[in-house]
Amino acid sequence: MLQTITRIPVANYSNLKARAGYSIKIDDKEIVLFKTSNGNVYALENRSPHPKGGVLSEGLVSGDYVFCPVYDWKISLKDGLVQAPDTGYVKIFNIEIEKDIIFVVL
């Protein structure tokens, strides 16, 4: 069975502020974009994996990590994994940047 890949334009690269979350909604998916201080862009599910955690768009970004704004869990922007001693993960989404447009690939 063939799988359809959809590229959805979601933001302009030049408008994203480094180390700040930019939340978007695609269908029923809450997604947050982060641009790191070195210019890389990542897209993750906009929810901390902690059962009582908050939205990651309000978290602090340091390097390639975002910190849960409620419980301070350290989450990798690259693969969504929560760093030890905590456990869990956040779904990540592939992105593509073409000219100044950021696309989320579903």
Side-chain angles (χ1 to χ4, degrees):
M1 175 186 243
L2 293 176
Q3 184 178 10
T4 303
I5 295 174
T6 305
R7 286 177 14 138
I8 301 166
V10 294
N12 288 59
Y13 179 86
S14 59
N15 289 343
L16 285 185
K17 294 180 178 160
R19 300 176 44 194
Y22 178 77
S23 59
I24 58 174
K25 186 166 183 164
I26 300 174
D27 298 326
D28 62 341
K29 296 170 185 63
E30 297 277 346
I31 299 172
V32 60
L33 300 176
F34 290 107
K35 180 170 39 171
T36 60
S37 55
N38 66 3
N40 292 332
V41 176
Y42 299 97
L44 294 88
E45 180 180 22
N46 192 18
R47 192 86 188 130
S48 170
H50 188 284
K52 296 180 183 178
V55 292
L56 292 179
S57 58
E58 297 174 2
L60 295 174
V61 175
S62 178
D64 289 325
Y65 297 93
V66 61
F67 290 82
C68 168
V70 179
Y71 289 95
D72 204 35
W73 282 14
K74 184 178 181 182
I75 302 160
S76 170
L77 295 172
K78 291 181 178 182
D79 59 18
L81 292 177
V82 174
Q83 304 303 292
D86 302 304
T87 60
Y89 70 94
V90 175
K91 181 178 171 96
I92 60 170
F93 297 89
N94 291 324
I95 61 120
E96 295 177 359
I97 301 172
E98 189 175 302
K99 298 184 182 175
D100 191 50
I101 307 296
I102 300 169
F103 295 87
V104 171
V105 181
L106 300 176

